[in-house]
Amino acid sequence: MVLVFAEHQKGAFKKAAFEAVTYGAKTAAVLGTDCVALVLGNADNAGQLGTYGASKVYQVTSDHLEQFDSQVYSATIAAAAEQLGASTVILSHSSTGKSLVGRLAVKMNAGSVAGVNALPTNGGTFKVTKGVFSGKAISTYEVKSDKKVLSVMGNSVPVEEMGSAVEVENLSVEVAAPKVVVKEVKRAEGIVPLPEAELVVSAGRGMKGPENWGIIEDLAEALGATTACSRPVSDTGWRPHHEHVGQTGVAIRPNLYIAAGISGAIQHLAGVNNSKTIVVINKDPEAPFFKAADYGVVGDLFEIVPKLTEAVKSFKG
Amino acid sequence: MKILVCISKVPDTTAKISFTDGGSSFNTDGVQFIMNPYDEWYALVRALELKEAQGGSVSVVNVGTSTNDTIIRKALAIGADDAIRVNVEASSSMFVAKQIAEVAKDYDIVFTGKETINYNSSEIGAMIAEFLDQPFISYANHMEMAGNTATITREIEGGHEVVEVTTPFVLSAAKGLAEQRIPNMRGIMMAKRKPLKVVEAVAFEDAAVPVHYSLPDEGSETVYVEPDNMSELVRLLHEEAKVI
Ligand SMILES: Cc1cc2nc3c(=O)[nH]c(=O)nc-3n(C[C@H](O)[C@H](O)[C@H](O)COP(=O)(O)OP(=O)(O)OC[C@H]3O[C@@H](n4cnc5c(N)ncnc54)[C@H](O)[C@@H]3O)c2cc1C
Ligand SMILES: Nc1ncnc2c1ncn2[C@@H]1O[C@H](COP(=O)(O)O)[C@@H](O)[C@H]1O
């Protein structure tokens, strides 16, 4: 059996959970078994996970699960897997999933691959791929053990509806008290966080200074996109650190990445080259970023970006 | 406070990535290797700052062969007191974590980097924590210690979380945790005399290993759009790329 740990935030499931369930259902098909989902803590409407291929949803509730501690969560998931006889566990490669994947693998004595980007194959040996060298290459991993733990990279396997809501059954698992105490959780309201964003507008040193960022924000707003920046821009404090994308920042894979005034250094490309479509705006026709671009506009970003914003607005009408 | 920092060796960020033997191994020809930036810039420096504030020691550990001694000496030059190298080829994440856990039992805090820039797994820290049965806090970008209690800010999607934990624990370091330090001449000279202990590996079977590497498909040709024709770009994004 394949068990998918479906994450939620205060009871609400996000796209990452639906992707993980879709991935789990398809992996179960590859392995010739079925797929169930596991929900930890209180969440309404957990039965909706059936829509993405879970044949059943199990839920464990406990006060100890109301905040995240990797030790408590991995022990609970491992106990649930054991009870249900699941040998393969699927997680999202989110901040939560990344803290769990290795831990759970050790606990279950399983082989793990963190950040898989495609469905596995099982022709004799179980193989699955993931991005390595910061997206500059792809590696195929072989998992030799019967037990397996995989975390699924966001935006790599599209969510698919293949069923309908299913029954939710409470599972009784002993949950230990957490040793990590969560004091505060802060999330920016209203905007989609970068790792989940489908549309990203990013800018670099070509902007000249932080006071000019209004045109980038306007374009992002017109598109409903999230803003990002290159490393020197966040290092000099023009923009907050969490906007820094690249090899040493956030790695993203949106559907659309628009880069204005960014030269396209190899370390920058490493974090964005998995974007589906890349648009580069740069006054230097020789800027290396154009080689990685699907669409290029050569010229002054201070003229081009506002025009693009206008064009987006009139398109959206 | 006894602190252990896990350091790994990775290809330089500008290295050209290619593979040999039909995609079975990384082509190291002409590749410069460096200490993984997250380990060097953030984990090691924050560990040194804690020692400077509270006393104690900072050790570094690497799982690898003697070719890794250059990055180990660099960590000693930046300020670590001593080093341990587990003398074995790092064959998989869990294998490395097991080797580190074997030598990490008596430390108050074990630091790892957020991820290596070659394998990008960010799983070794969590594995070490599980082998040691300790708490694990990932992606720390701020950390203060008062006695043996740490208050740590960790990155989560679109925000942050502040947590409290007491030693011993394992933590992975992200940008913001500290500021990069450049080794000075005195540090480099002193590093030569600092102890580097080489220990043999314990037996451990790999359950998941990389068996093949390939390069992503070269993207299609760039289509250029005139700066005065942004409605054409919007049309292409809508009709051709289908992303808006
Ligand atoms: C170990 C290491 C890790 C790194 N990690 C990262 C990382 O994660 N992310 C990252 O981004 N960088 C990273 N870097 C830095 C990287 O090497 C580059 O220095 C950086 O990406 C350059 O940022 P930029 O493109 O904004 O600036 P620049 O390289 O200065 O480019 C500015 C661009 O703007 C264009 N421009 C200027 N004015 C205009 C205008 N009016 N209209 C249109 N275009 C204009 C210029 O032609 C130029 O191409 C790393 C470096 C190292 C050594
Ligand atoms: N061979 C190694 N020796 C010591 N520490 C390592 C080694 N490989 C990885 N690490 C540590 O584990 C962290 C995460 O690595 P990874 O799980 O591969 O992304 C790194 O930032 C290092 O701190």
Side-chain angles (χ1 to χ4, degrees):
Chain A
M1 187 191 278
V2 173
L3 179 71
V4 180
F5 167 55
E7 277 175 38
H8 59 86
Q9 275 171 25
K10 294 206 184 101
F13 294 95
K14 295 281 205 72
K15 184 175 144 209
F18 305 144
E19 286 177 343
V21 176
T22 304
Y23 189 96
K26 293 192 168 184
T27 300
V30 169
L31 293 170
T33 179
D34 57 346
C35 166
V36 299
L38 175 68
V39 174
L40 300 187
N42 289 311
D44 300 334
N45 207 2
Q48 65 172 306
L49 297 171
T51 319
Y52 309 100
S55 63
K56 192 158 183 181
V57 177
Y58 293 93
Q59 188 162 18
V60 182
T61 49
S62 156
D63 287 349
H64 295 159
L65 295 168
E66 289 309 307
Q67 55 140 60
F68 178 67
D69 178 340
S70 67
Q71 213 167 2
V72 174
Y73 267 56
S74 62
T76 308
I77 298 168
E82 171 93 43
Q83 221 182 92
L84 297 169
S87 54
T88 300
V89 177
I90 308 292
L91 312 167
S92 305
H93 198 62
S94 59
S95 63
T96 299
K98 288 181 208 173
S99 324
L100 288 173
V101 56
R103 172 140 231 166
L104 189 58
V106 170
K107 182 124 225 145
M108 292 177 59
N109 202 5
S112 61
V113 186
V116 298
N117 64 3
L119 289 168
T121 57
N122 194 29
T125 52
F126 184 95
K127 287 185 177 162
V128 66
T129 57
K130 65 168 277 191
V132 290
F133 296 97
S134 306
K136 290 176 222 164
I138 299 157
S139 177
T140 306
Y141 277 66
E142 186 179 320
V143 185
K144 299 178 204 162
S145 49
D146 281 343
K147 290 188 175 166
K148 301 168 183 74
V149 179
L150 310 177
S151 60
V152 184
M153 186 62 94
N155 267 359
S156 55
V157 175
V159 171
E160 210 174 291
E161 297 193 5
M162 46 182 131
S164 51
V166 290
E167 185 196 340
V168 182
E169 187 181 316
N170 278 313
L171 200 63
S172 157
V173 175
E174 197 79 51
V175 183
K179 291 190 207 156
V180 177
V181 183
V182 177
K183 293 284 183 189
E184 179 192 316
V185 181
K186 264 226 166 79
R187 285 180 208 272
E189 297 292 328
I191 46 166
V192 187
L194 265 182
E196 291 167 19
E198 308 267 5
L199 306 171
V200 175
V201 178
S202 187
R205 270 211 300 237
M207 292 296 293
K208 307 284 186 288
E211 66 282 4
N212 297 329
W213 240 265
I215 55 169
I216 297 299
E217 281 163 352
D218 288 347
L219 176 57
E221 196 186 307
L223 283 165
T226 303
T227 49
C229 68
S230 67
R231 177 166 166 229
V233 163
S234 72
D235 279 358
T236 48
W238 291 3
R239 299 297 291 175
H241 280 312
H242 66 78
E243 283 199 358
H244 159 198
V245 292
Q247 187 156 21
T248 50
V250 186
I252 55 171
R253 36 193 314 143
N255 283 333
L256 174 62
Y257 184 71
I258 301 181
I262 301 178
S263 57
I266 189 162
Q267 298 96 347
H268 184 85
L269 294 179
V272 303
N273 58 6
N274 279 315
S275 307
K276 196 170 150 226
T277 301
I278 296 178
V279 175
V280 170
I281 302 168
N282 199 302
K283 68 175 182 190
D284 174 10
E286 302 295 319
F289 217 151
F290 283 119
K291 288 204 184 66
D294 298 287
Y295 301 102
V297 189
V298 179
D300 183 359
L301 71 89
F302 293 104
E303 286 167 25
I304 294 166
V305 172
K307 281 186 194 153
L308 179 54
T309 307
E310 284 315 309
V312 169
K313 281 186 182 156
S314 57
F315 162 74
K316 294 210 163 176
Chain B
M1 184 98 48
K2 278 188 72 177
I3 303 175
L4 182 68
V5 181
C6 305
I7 59 168
S8 50
K9 189 181 80 171
V10 297
D12 178 36
T13 52
T14 54
K16 182 151 176 48
I17 306 298
S18 65
F19 302 97
T20 53
D21 305 327
S24 66
S25 52
F26 175 58
N27 183 1
T28 56
D29 270 4
V31 171
Q32 291 262 23
F33 285 89
I34 58 169
M35 199 187 322
N36 188 42
Y38 293 104
D39 310 351
E40 177 186 333
W41 300 349
Y42 312 125
L44 177 59
V45 177
R46 189 66 191 125
L48 293 170
E49 288 169 355
L50 290 176
K51 177 193 138 178
E52 285 154 12
Q54 306 205 339
S57 64
V58 174
S59 309
V60 293
V61 61
N62 172 258
V63 179
T65 55
S66 60
T67 54
N68 291 6
D69 286 351
T70 38
I71 66 135
I72 296 176
R73 289 287 170 207
K74 182 167 189 200
L76 294 170
I78 294 172
D81 299 297
D82 53 29
I84 305 164
R85 180 166 59 77
V86 184
N87 188 26
V88 64
E89 200 74 54
S91 54
S92 74
S93 301
M94 207 186 284
F95 179 83
V96 169
K98 173 71 183 169
Q99 305 307 329
I100 294 173
E102 284 298 306
V103 302
K105 293 200 169 88
D106 297 323
Y107 291 87
D108 299 302
I109 307 175
V110 176
F111 278 88
T112 71
K114 149 177 155 173
E115 64 180 36
T116 49
I117 62 168
N118 48 356
Y119 289 104
N120 312 111
S121 295
S122 78
E123 57 178 353
I124 287 178
M127 288 174 166
I128 298 169
E130 186 61 32
F131 279 123
L132 297 172
D133 196 23
Q134 288 178 9
F136 172 60
I137 293 90
S138 65
Y139 290 18
N141 58 22
H142 189 81
M143 172 200 200
E144 295 300 336
M145 292 289 299
N148 62 354
T149 302
T151 304
I152 299 166
T153 306
R154 61 182 287 262
E155 291 171 4
I156 55 174
E157 283 74 17
H160 67 258
E161 189 173 87
V162 181
V163 303
E164 221 172 69
V165 64
T166 53
T167 57
F169 60 85
V170 181
L171 160 149
S172 82
K175 180 177 183 179
L177 191 65
E179 293 284 335
Q180 181 181 6
R181 284 189 189 179
I182 311 291
N184 57 26
M185 211 47 216
R186 196 175 108 84
I188 294 166
M189 294 312 292
M190 276 170 57
K192 295 190 177 136
R193 293 193 302 272
K194 288 181 177 171
L196 192 177
K197 188 163 96 186
V198 178
V199 301
E200 292 310 314
V202 295
F204 190 80
E205 206 170 318
D206 287 319
V209 285
V211 290
H212 186 263
Y213 298 93
S214 59
L215 296 173
D217 295 338
E218 280 295 325
S220 47
E221 285 282 294
T222 308
V223 174
Y224 285 91
V225 181
E226 286 305 313
D228 284 332
N229 202 357
M230 285 302 102
S231 53
E232 169 65 3
L233 178 59
V234 170
R235 187 193 70 77
L236 289 167
L237 292 176
H238 179 62
E239 289 175 13
E240 201 179 82
K242 298 190 170 62
V243 289
I244 61 173

